[in-house]
Amino acid sequence: MRILVLSINYWPEETGIAPVVTSRSEYLASRGHDVTVCTTFPYYPQWKVDKLYHGKFWQHETRKGVEILRSWSWIPSRPNALKRILFEASFLADSLVRAFSARKPDLLLVVSPPLGLGITANLLSKIWGIPYLFDVMDLQPDAAVELGMLRSGTLLRSLYWLEKSAYENARLVSTLTEGMRRRIISKSISENKVALFALSADPELFLVRRGVDGMAFRRHHGLDGKFVVTHSGNMGVKQGLNVILDAAELSRNMRDIVYLLVGDGATRHDLEARAKTQNLTNVKFLPVLTRKQFLEMLAASDIGLITQQRSVADIVFPSKTATLMTVGCPLVASVNPNSEVARAVRESGSGVVVSPEDPDSLLNAITNLLDDPNKLAEMSSSGRIYARDHWDEQITLSRMESVFLGQLSDQNVDSDWKDIKASSSNPA
């Protein structure tokens, strides 16, 4: 099967959508499928093109059997709503041209966001006479409304029209969690048309030895003897990271606790400025890390944080949830109690859920775990067991491949969905 993937994010980006799309594409290639990815140059979460790709307009690469076709897009250094629209529009135009340089595929896999890729997918689908699958990683219009980024108006109506068109014209719509799936179905999309493609656990993370593999990282960053509370990944609006600085302010006299914020994103500059103004010496910022450093950081962390604004529930499922559980890092999730993240943390026993945007509750959970090493060890073990049971890549990715093949053999989508739903409900 020849598959063309359209995704704005791909390797070597280490956070957000990219690792998910990369692992899926490389798995399909390892299974003998001819996989090509149309993407832009790596920029996320720094919103700055990687120095290895500076000054390039087109580039062709091959990695682990996947052909990668990159094209230039305009990358804003300080993104806002308007700049994001212009950025995504530039990618839509360039990726469309780039797609025509690839051989005609049997199937299109289109990753959203950006939502506008539905237009590109529909056009290519009609020209080539092939189906497309629309893979939803983030419910963009709902997120914009619930985070207060957009209010009713022409732009919001246009986004919802784009979303509806993308769903209706797709052969199949897929997403990460059951909550996101229900949200899509509520938009008058047939239940039989919406499938669940769960995240996949990175097998290498199961091999990380907590504590031992993080000793060098601790020494290098002056963290020996400290209780390290880490947030890693994108620093954006949805994450609501000010709650961590609020907790740091409350605990500035607790010398054992250090808050580590690792990564980059649209709000990093403001967070660093606030930490400096308030002289929060118990907060350390680190840039996006290399793969080796990232694994060492995970091993060095006593607690992993997942924070979201209160309004975020079933519009997104951060991949760091699976990463932290797989590596056995106990979690404190400052999230909406009805969110998919909260459900997974409670169900797995991998951590505790506290009220979002509530620094007192966050700090209370951290200090309780600081004094309970047995509880931390129990959470670590439970997280890894849950990750192996629910996100084993050989199971999740083979289910995905079966659904892809089903679309090309004209099998009924209903039967495909029933198979994948049954497998997801009864993990091996």
Side-chain angles (χ1 to χ4, degrees):
M1 174 169 57
R2 185 173 295 152
I3 304 168
L4 179 62
V5 181
L6 304 181
S7 176
I8 203 166
N9 300 102
Y10 197 72
W11 169 87
E13 294 175 358
E14 291 281 2
T15 191
I17 291 172
V20 180
V21 181
T22 303
S23 68
R24 290 176 175 179
S25 300
E26 291 177 354
Y27 173 81
L28 291 168
S30 75
R31 296 283 296 163
H33 302 292
D34 185 342
V35 182
T36 300
V37 176
C38 282
T39 187
T40 189
F41 295 105
Y43 71 93
Y44 187 83
Q46 305 96 319
W47 288 92
K48 181 180 180 181
V49 174
D50 188 287
K51 61 183 179 181
L52 295 176
Y53 296 89
H54 277 174
K56 297 183 179 180
F57 193 77
W58 306 92
Q59 182 151 321
H60 177 277
E61 299 173 87
T62 301
R63 181 177 188 266
K64 295 187 177 181
V66 178
E67 185 178 20
I68 306 168
L69 304 178
R70 298 190 188 274
S71 57
W72 176 90
S73 297
W74 177 71
I75 312 292
S77 58
R78 297 292 298 275
N80 55 30
L82 176 59
K83 288 179 179 178
R84 282 176 183 267
I85 291 171
L86 295 175
F87 159 60
E88 292 181 2
S90 72
F91 175 71
L92 298 187
D94 293 331
S95 63
L96 177 61
V97 175
R98 199 68 166 118
F100 283 120
S101 70
R103 289 174 295 173
K104 176 185 172 182
D106 302 306
L107 182 72
L108 280 170
L109 173 59
V110 184
V111 182
S112 174
L115 188 58
L117 272 181
I119 298 173
T120 306
N122 193 34
L123 179 61
L124 292 173
S125 175
K126 284 181 165 53
I127 291 172
W128 282 331
I130 60 170
Y132 76 86
L133 276 60
F134 201 68
D135 192 27
V136 181
M137 301 280 185
D138 188 332
L139 291 157
Q140 239 179 335
D142 293 357
V145 172
E146 293 177 17
L147 292 170
M149 298 170 71
L150 284 179
R151 303 189 184 280
S152 59
T154 303
L155 178 56
L156 185 60
R157 287 194 298 272
S158 297
L159 285 175
Y160 277 121
W161 178 86
L162 280 174
E163 180 185 52
K164 186 174 181 62
S165 174
Y167 294 167
E168 289 182 343
N169 288 304
R171 173 72 65 86
L172 187 75
V173 180
S174 59
T175 194
L176 295 171
T177 69
E178 182 59 31
M180 295 172 74
R181 178 177 176 267
R182 288 195 301 269
R183 179 74 75 103
I184 293 170
I185 292 168
S186 73
K187 299 171 184 288
S188 301
I189 305 300
S190 170
E191 178 178 0
N192 299 330
K193 191 177 182 177
V194 188
L196 185 65
F197 290 169
L199 290 171
S200 300
D202 182 343
E204 188 177 3
L205 297 181
F206 286 113
L207 305 177
V208 173
R209 298 171 299 172
R210 289 192 43 71
V212 175
D213 290 343
M215 292 174 64
F217 184 91
R218 279 178 169 266
R219 283 195 301 270
H220 182 73
H221 293 285
L223 299 172
D224 281 338
K226 301 295 185 181
F227 190 75
V228 181
V229 181
T230 301
H231 179 280
S232 63
N234 183 40
M235 300 181 186
V237 175
K238 287 194 293 286
Q239 285 72 31
L241 293 172
N242 272 304
V243 71
I244 300 176
L245 299 191
D246 292 339
E249 171 65 40
L250 293 173
S251 58
R252 64 164 61 243
N253 295 321
M254 300 179 184
R255 300 298 183 183
D256 291 341
I257 302 175
V258 172
Y259 299 86
L260 200 59
L261 275 68
V262 183
D264 211 327
T267 65
R268 174 166 174 154
H269 179 270
D270 293 338
L271 291 167
E272 284 193 279
R274 180 189 165 190
K276 183 176 181 179
T277 299
Q278 295 181 221
N279 193 31
L280 295 176
T281 58
N282 54 347
V283 178
K284 290 180 177 289
F285 288 85
L286 293 179
V288 176
L289 303 176
T290 65
R291 175 70 172 176
K292 180 177 182 293
Q293 292 169 335
F294 176 69
L295 296 179
E296 291 175 348
M297 178 271 295
L298 291 173
S301 300
D302 294 292
I303 287 177
L305 295 180
I306 302 176
T307 63
Q308 292 179 337
Q309 288 192 11
R310 183 176 290 105
S311 58
V312 177
D314 53 5
I315 57 176
V316 67
F317 187 78
S319 59
K320 69 168 65 71
T321 309
T323 297
L324 292 170
M325 286 193 198
T326 305
V327 83
C329 187
L331 296 174
V332 174
S334 173
V335 298
N336 186 314
N338 299 316
S339 68
E340 287 290 312
V341 172
R343 180 197 60 75
V345 172
R346 286 193 297 261
E347 187 177 285
S348 64
S350 62
V352 294
V353 178
V354 301
S355 300
E357 303 177 46
D358 183 345
D360 292 294
S361 295
L362 178 59
L363 180 58
N364 185 56
I366 291 169
T367 54
N368 285 343
L369 291 173
L370 170 63
D371 296 326
D372 196 344
N374 291 332
K375 186 64 175 177
L376 287 171
E378 179 185 326
M379 289 175 171
S380 175
S381 176
S382 296
R384 278 189 150 158
I385 291 170
Y386 187 90
R388 199 176 292 280
D389 287 345
H390 290 76
W391 297 316
D392 183 286
E393 70 169 11
Q394 293 303 314
I395 298 172
T396 58
L397 296 178
S398 65
R399 290 173 185 159
M400 178 191 71
E401 181 191 21
S402 296
V403 172
F404 284 10
L405 292 170
Q407 300 311 304
L408 292 183
S409 61
D410 292 324
Q411 292 178 9
N412 186 276
V413 175
D414 186 24
S415 65
D416 288 333
W417 165 245
K418 287 178 180 176
D419 288 344
I420 200 169
K421 175 69 171 174
S423 299
S424 178
S425 301
N426 301 285

